[in-house]
Every structure is written in structure tokens, then in C-alpha cells.
Amino acid sequence: MEINLSAIPEDQREAVAALLRERGELKDETASLKSETAGLREIIKRLEHLVAEFNHLIHGKRSEKLSEDERQLAFEDLEAAVAEANEQKEAQAPSDPRPRGAAKRNRGNLPRDLPRIERVIEPDSLQCPCGCGQMHKIGEDRTERLDIVPAQLRVIVTVRPKYACRACTDGVRQASAPAALIEGGLPTEGAIAHVLVGKYADHLPLYRQSQILARSGIDIHRSTLADWVGVAAFNLGPVVDRLAEHLKTSTKLFMDETTAPVLDPGRGRTKTGFLWALARDDRAWSGDDPPGVVYFYAPGRGGENAETFLAGFDGILQVDGYTGYNRLARPSRKGGEPIRMAYCWAHARRKLKEVFDRDGSEIAAEGLRRIAEFYKIETDIRGMVPELRLSARQARTAPLVAAFGEWLQEQRLRISAKSRLGEKLAYIHRHWDGLQTFLHDGRVEIDSNCVENLMRPIALNRKNALFAGHDEGGKAWGRIASLIETAKINGVEPFAYLKATLEAIAAGHPQGRIEELLPWNFNPSS
């Protein structure tokens, strides 16, 4: 409704005009708030959808079908989407002089040894507003933010002056050239270590590393980088051999295998090689020996390869249900006494989970519920000494396992052995003795998940590199991955370790003291 100001007494016109202006401003503000509210509703709707996606990813029917890496990739994208939606929400929120929430800080996570560059920001003027003179400092606020500088390339120039006597001709004196892993070559040991970590820890094939270097103006062909890797793999061989010897002195180890595609030049395609992981991890029962892993390459999956790699080991071996390991438990085993097998309850559970996911079998669901009870007890006793673990298992777990065994036999009598569920139950029955090993030794784990986790880096490298160039490349892959993964599980930074180890080897580290070069003996301050 329009108002005719001329019809209003002159002494009231200004007040009415002010009210009209205020009304117009309120209408504009109302329209703006409605628009913001609609936008916020859309953001909330999007956040609710993302929360539902999170729940589906974690608890959904397909959640166990995702590998750990696939799950992490999904989390990354979902978390990025949530952060974007929250930022949009804050940007669209009505202006408010009050704080919008706690500052997004990550206190306490920046190591003290990181270089710090201080930037002091002074006020425009230090003169007191009331004219008293110059103000005095009474304190300061300090904030820290993480900055990242891309990898810095540099050239080490070694200058060796020559000296001679002017009074005689007895010769020239010059310092010896410093030792180098590749004599007369381009890279320092640090450069070689960087390439090794890029390829085997960060899963960057050499051709991609070559492209990254090229962006910094360094033209180094992939084949040159491959030469560096080969030289390093050869020189690190004795360290890996000693690592394997050290592991095989243990009384309990884990073993697993995974495919390692290898190029077959004669046929113009890839063939299937295998990397076998031999691992020790006694942290769950506070064992004294440091954790470690060695990856052996073999062109096939036959059990004779496991027999070869385990020569000299006599103890308990924790494995999945692969039949190739059966020969290790026989009296005819080569390389040692028959090995005692401990089978993996996670694999038994997985068999039932496959059936449950496919058809919702109540029998499979009951088996899963029973196995879950075993794992609850394992959670309670993790980190305890073997004696306490064994005591708890005998008192609490053994009766549950015995009941599971009776239930298993009852179901096998009811279910056709040729059915999908019947096959899964038969699998558990075949491995029943080994599935009970953990009940009789507090050092034994309920499953072999530890070594399966150590297979993940191999799978990631396989996914990124597609295949090794030949069988020797598969051996180098296993050798360098052994040192990198052993360093990681001992809390050692792989680059620092490899750089120091390659420098020690180049300087002629004695073979008799090779033990000092094992990853768990690395001291970064030395």
C-alpha cells in the first residue's frame, strides 16, 4: 500500500518517511533471511545425506566387501564433502558479531624439531591514542600453522683441492673422494633412498617419478632411476637376509602370500608371480622381539616355496587355510621339524559372512554371533603377558569354542555338504585342530590379520605399478619392501633409515656387524 506523504501534516512527514524506510529495509532483510534459510536447508539436507552415506559405508551390508583401501578412499571423499558443506554453511550464515565457533586449530601436533620461521606483525602505530607517548609491549599472541615446501632439489658439489711442494717433486697430495654407492654416478644415497621410498612406500612408479623430477627441470629417464633401484636392491640384500635369519629364530611367525604380476617378455603379457610375507609381531602379548616382515618372491604359489623360505624355522606358524601350507606340518618336511599350525578365525568368520551376505542364512548368523564372543574376550586380554592370556582363554574362551564345535557338527549333519553353506562349514571342520591352537599358547593370536595388514602395501604397489618388469624385479620389490615395512612398524621413518643404511654400506660397513643395520637398530640421532 502506497502512502501519500503530502496528505500527512508537515511536522509528521519526516517520522513517517523514516518508518517507511525502516519497513523497506525490514522487507529486504526478511527476503534475504528467507533466501539464506532456504540455502541452509539445502546444506542440512546434503549433510544428512552424507551422514547416511557414512553409516552405510560403516554398517551397511556391503561394508565388509570393501577392502581397507577402498574404505579409506570413500572416507576421504565423504569427509571432504562434509568439510565443503560446512564451509558453505558458515559462508551463508547471517552475519553475527558473536564468534561462530571454536577456531579450527590442531594444537600439539607439530613436532618441536620442525624448522620454524617467525613472522612478527607489528601494529601500524605504537603511539598511544590519548597522546601519552609510545606504547610498551605487555605480551604477545603466538599461532602456529603448518606450511609445506615442495621437495627441494640441490646439487652437492665436492671440491678436492690438489697440493704440491714448490721446492721438490715428491708428488701431489689430495683428499680421497668420499665413498658413494654408485661410484662416479649422479645420485647421492639420499637421492636413491628418495626413489626407493617413492616407489615402494608411496607407490609411485618410476616413470611418474621421472615426470615429477622433470617439472623441476631435472631430466632423468625412468631407466636411469631403475638402475639406481637395482644397485640399491643388490647392496641391501645382505641386510634383508640377516632380517630373515633373525625372524626365523623366533618360536612363532605369521605367513601369507599375494599375487605379484610379472611381465613375461617371451609371451608379451604378464604372468602371476607371488610375494610371500614372513612376519613377526609379538606386541599383542608384550614380547621382547621387535616386529618385522620379509617378503620373498617366487614365480608360483606352490607349497614348496613356503618350505624353502621357512628352512631353519621350527615353531608355530599362523596362516590362513591355504592347502599349500599342509606340507609344512608333515614329518617329511624339508628344512626342519614339522611345524605346528595355527589357523585363522578371521578366515573362518569370513566364510560364514559370505553366506550370510548372499542369502541371510540364520545358521551363518548364529556362527557369526558365536565367533564374535571369542573376539570380545581377545579385546579384553590384548597386551597382557602370555600367561594371563592363556589363563583367560582356558577359563572363558575354551568352553565357547567347545560349544561352537558341537554346534558345527550338528549343522553339518543337517546341511548338504554340496551346498554353499555346507562347503563353508566343511572348511571350518577341516581346520578345526589348528583353529584351537590359540587356546593352548598365550603367544598365539586368534587370527592372522597382522600379516594380512602387512600385505596391503604390496597390493597398493601392485595397483599403481600394474606389474614388475621381470622375476628379478619381483625379488627387488620384496627386498626393499621388507626394509621399508619393517621400519614403519617399528616407528622408524623409512627415508631416514634407507639413506643412513645406504651411506653406511657405501662407506664399507663390516659384514660382521650387519645386525647394526636392521631397521629396529636405527638411531636417527647418531
Side-chain angles (χ1 to χ4, degrees):
M1 182 181 67
E2 294 293 330
I3 296 177
N4 185 3
L5 290 176
S6 60
I8 297 174
E10 187 173 349
D11 59 339
Q12 298 178 13
R13 288 179 186 173
E14 185 175 344
V16 172
L19 287 172
L20 290 173
R21 286 195 299 274
E22 186 176 347
R23 186 181 73 171
E25 291 172 357
L26 287 173
K27 287 177 66 176
D28 292 342
E29 186 175 344
T30 300
S32 175
L33 286 173
K34 286 182 178 179
S35 175
E36 289 174 353
T37 302
L40 288 172
R41 284 201 184 106
E42 286 298 315
I43 294 170
I44 291 170
K45 186 176 179 181
R46 182 183 178 196
L47 286 171
E48 288 174 345
H49 171 72
L50 292 172
V51 169
E53 288 288 317
F54 265 120
N55 285 329
H56 179 71
L57 185 63
I58 297 171
H59 306 295
K61 192 172 182 180
R62 293 175 55 84
S63 63
E64 293 206 14
K65 295 183 179 180
L66 294 175
S67 70
E68 181 64 23
D69 301 306
E70 290 169 333
R71 192 176 291 111
Q72 291 300 328
L73 287 171
F75 280 147
E76 288 174 13
D77 288 342
L78 281 171
E79 287 163 349
V82 169
E84 180 186 349
N86 282 329
E87 192 68 19
Q88 183 183 4
K89 180 181 176 183
E90 289 190 4
Q92 291 189 9
S95 57
D96 190 337
R98 294 173 297 177
R100 292 191 296 177
K104 297 175 182 176
R105 296 194 181 97
N106 211 5
R107 294 183 180 275
N109 291 336
L110 297 179
R112 292 184 178 275
D113 58 351
L114 282 182
R116 277 161 169 77
I117 299 173
E118 290 198 0
R119 181 176 58 178
V120 180
I121 303 176
E122 298 281 5
D124 293 337
S125 173
L126 295 179
Q127 295 300 315
C128 181
C130 66
C132 299
Q134 185 153 328
M135 305 176 80
H136 298 280
K137 182 177 179 180
I138 60 171
E140 64 183 14
D141 290 330
R142 300 176 72 91
T143 57
E144 293 190 346
R145 296 191 303 157
L146 179 65
D147 189 29
I148 297 178
V149 179
Q152 185 184 49
L153 303 176
R154 62 184 185 180
V155 178
I156 304 297
V157 180
T158 301
V159 179
R160 296 186 296 134
K162 295 181 179 180
Y163 294 92
C165 178
R166 292 181 176 177
C168 68
T169 58
D170 285 347
V172 176
R173 180 167 296 179
Q174 184 182 33
S176 301
L181 195 71
I182 302 178
E183 293 291 344
L186 182 67
T188 64
E189 288 66 42
I192 297 173
H194 179 80
V195 171
L196 296 180
V197 170
K199 179 173 174 62
Y200 297 106
D202 299 329
H203 319 297
L204 281 171
L206 296 182
Y207 77 90
R208 292 183 190 167
Q209 294 193 51
S210 177
Q211 292 169 348
I212 293 170
L213 289 170
R215 291 203 298 267
S216 298
I218 308 297
D219 184 16
I220 299 180
H221 194 267
R222 170 197 51 75
S223 61
T224 301
L225 299 180
D227 287 341
W228 300 358
V229 171
V231 171
F234 171 78
N235 284 278
L236 291 170
V239 183
V240 179
D241 292 343
R242 181 66 191 99
L243 174 59
E245 292 170 5
H246 200 291
L247 294 184
K248 287 191 284 187
T249 61
S250 306
T251 55
K252 183 185 71 68
L253 293 174
F254 298 87
M255 197 170 207
D256 198 6
E257 78 292 330
T258 190
T259 56
V262 173
L263 188 64
D264 189 358
R267 301 168 66 191
R269 58 182 182 181
T270 60
K271 61 182 180 179
T272 302
F274 286 84
L275 280 173
W276 299 67
L278 184 64
R280 176 179 66 203
D281 192 345
D282 298 339
R283 291 174 292 182
W285 50 273
S286 304
D288 294 328
D289 290 329
V293 61
V294 172
Y295 301 97
F296 300 93
Y297 174 79
R301 198 190 181 195
E304 66 275 8
N305 294 303
E307 197 169 40
T308 299
F309 301 144
L310 286 166
F313 170 70
D314 294 303
I316 298 174
L317 188 67
Q318 297 210 236
V319 294
D320 57 24
Y322 171 50
T323 56
Y325 295 118
N326 292 348
R327 64 191 296 147
L328 300 173
R330 296 170 184 163
S332 59
R333 177 209 167 193
K334 298 177 182 177
E337 296 296 318
I339 289 176
R340 187 179 176 193
M341 311 301 289
Y343 289 120
C344 173
W345 273 101
H347 280 77
R349 180 188 182 280
R350 207 168 295 160
K351 299 294 183 182
L352 296 175
K353 189 70 168 62
E354 289 172 5
V355 176
F356 177 76
D357 285 345
R358 179 179 177 180
D359 54 26
S361 165
E362 182 53 39
I363 294 176
E366 174 63 19
L368 292 173
R369 284 192 290 268
R370 290 172 178 266
I371 294 173
E373 293 298 319
F374 309 164
Y375 274 90
K376 286 180 184 177
I377 298 170
E378 289 301 304
T379 300
D380 292 342
I381 64 177
R382 178 161 289 276
M384 293 183 179
V385 296
E387 294 78 13
L388 291 177
R389 281 159 57 100
L390 178 60
S391 176
R393 286 171 175 170
Q394 286 291 317
R396 299 171 60 190
T397 313
L400 297 177
V401 173
F404 184 97
E406 294 173 1
W407 172 85
L408 176 67
Q409 296 309 321
E410 291 172 4
Q411 305 312 313
R412 292 189 67 225
L413 292 174
R414 296 173 52 197
I415 303 296
S416 168
K418 295 182 180 180
S419 68
R420 186 174 179 84
L421 178 58
E423 291 174 355
K424 306 304 182 184
L425 296 176
Y427 169 91
I428 299 174
H429 173 72
R430 284 197 305 273
H431 297 90
W432 187 244
D433 288 344
L435 285 170
Q436 296 183 79
T437 303
F438 82 109
L439 295 176
H440 307 292
D441 192 322
R443 300 167 304 159
V444 177
E445 295 304 307
I446 191 173
D447 56 39
S448 56
N449 286 351
C450 148
V451 70
E452 285 199 6
N453 291 336
L454 289 170
M455 281 302 193
R456 288 179 53 222
I458 300 298
L460 277 174
N461 206 56
R462 180 178 63 215
K463 187 182 298 183
N464 284 274
L466 301 183
F467 52 81
H470 48 76
D471 286 334
E472 291 302 315
K475 293 177 183 177
W477 181 357
R479 194 174 293 165
I480 297 168
S482 299
L483 297 178
I484 287 177
E485 295 307 318
T486 299
K488 286 164 59 177
I489 58 179
N490 281 278
V492 173
E493 202 285 304
F495 169 77
Y497 163 72
L498 285 174
K499 177 177 181 290
T501 302
L502 292 174
E503 288 173 345
I505 292 172
H509 188 88
Q511 284 288 327
R513 290 164 44 201
I514 203 76
E515 184 95 8
E516 298 172 4
L517 300 183
L518 294 178
W520 53 72
N521 290 326
F522 174 64
N523 183 2
S525 60
S526 61

